[in-house]
């Protein structure tokens, strides 16, 4: 029996960009988190577990903010996940024009810390986050994390990072970016 040559199997590429929309309602928060987790599993993304947990926390916070603060002007939110060879970026877009800033921690306040948590989670992992306006007057809030988080040096504080880490662009600034 003659054996025909075959192409060696290559592992499937996990890189790409995925986007989905959801209504700006409370139930969309866990649905978005589960959709992102399922995407990472389905694509076989080689992300460290800490990165996955940080990313899912970020998705929850960003979608929660859009549902709570933008639903009146944005009945739908868009979630985009861009996965590159070394980075994973998630963004949430809504049509509300307000551009929030990360709040400082206030021990007397029970809410309003979502973007602070997003920023700190991204920076701790060695990533970045930002808020940008869209051409239609809304906003995109994004965070990018390395697939393998940086290791902290015992006894030192995390180094300060610029708002955008090298090689990371916003989802709209560079359409070819992962």
């Amino acid at each position: 029996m003659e054996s025909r040559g075959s192409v060696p199997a290559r592992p499937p590429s996990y890189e790409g960009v995925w986007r989905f929309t959801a209504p700006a309602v409370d139930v969309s928060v866990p649905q978005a988190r589960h959709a992102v987790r399922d995407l990472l599993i389905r694509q076989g993304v080689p992300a460290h577990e800490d990165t996955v947990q940080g990313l899912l926390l970020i998705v929850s916070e960003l979608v929660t903010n859009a549902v709570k603060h933008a639903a009146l002007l944005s009945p739908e939110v868009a979630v985009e996940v861009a996965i590159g060879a070394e980075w994973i970026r998630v963004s949430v877009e809504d049509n509300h024009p307000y551009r929030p800033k990360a709040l400082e921690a206030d021990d007397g306040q029970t809410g309003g810390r979502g973007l602070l948590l997003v920023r700190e989670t991204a920076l701790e992992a060695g990533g970045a986050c930002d808020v940008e306006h869209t051409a239609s007057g809304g906003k995109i809030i994004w965070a990018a994390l390395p697939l393998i988080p940086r290791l902290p040096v015992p006894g030192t504080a995390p180094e300060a990072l610029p708002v955008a880490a090298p090689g990371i662009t916003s989802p709209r600034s560079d359409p070819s970016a992962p």
Side-chain angles (χ1 to χ4, degrees):
M1 211 169 157
E2 185 178 328
S3 171
R4 295 184 182 195
S6 64
V7 177
R10 286 185 11 196
S13 175
Y14 56 84
E15 295 181 49
V17 178
W18 295 265
R19 183 177 174 92
F20 61 91
T21 58
V25 295
D26 290 339
V27 71
S28 293
V29 176
Q31 288 174 344
R33 186 176 55 248
H34 294 305
V36 170
R37 184 198 63 217
D38 293 347
L39 171 69
L40 299 177
I41 292 168
R42 185 174 61 248
Q43 292 304 118
V45 178
H48 189 276
E49 181 62 24
D50 289 345
T51 299
V52 172
Q53 292 307 313
L55 189 72
L56 296 178
L57 173 65
I58 289 169
V59 168
S60 292
E61 291 296 332
L62 294 182
V63 175
T64 296
N65 283 351
V67 166
K68 284 186 175 182
H69 305 295
L72 184 62
L73 296 177
S74 186
E76 198 170 71
V77 297
V79 177
E80 184 174 279
V81 179
I83 305 168
E86 298 178 11
W87 290 84
I88 183 165
R89 181 183 61 220
V90 64
S91 63
V92 174
E93 179 178 349
D94 64 57
N95 292 322
H96 198 289
Y98 176 68
R99 186 175 172 162
K101 296 183 183 195
L103 301 175
E104 296 301 321
D106 178 355
D107 292 332
Q109 193 175 20
T110 59
R113 295 190 188 127
L115 285 181
L116 176 64
L117 185 58
V118 167
R119 184 184 72 194
E120 294 304 314
T121 300
L123 293 177
E124 186 176 299
C129 64
D130 201 1
V131 180
E132 299 175 354
H133 285 290
T134 64
S136 63
K139 68 182 160 300
I140 298 171
I141 304 176
W142 61 269
L145 305 177
L147 290 178
I148 300 172
R150 68 177 180 192
L151 297 174
V153 177
T156 63
E159 64 187 57
L161 293 178
V163 172
I168 299 298
T169 60
S170 82
R172 298 293 177 252
S173 298
D174 182 4
S176 65

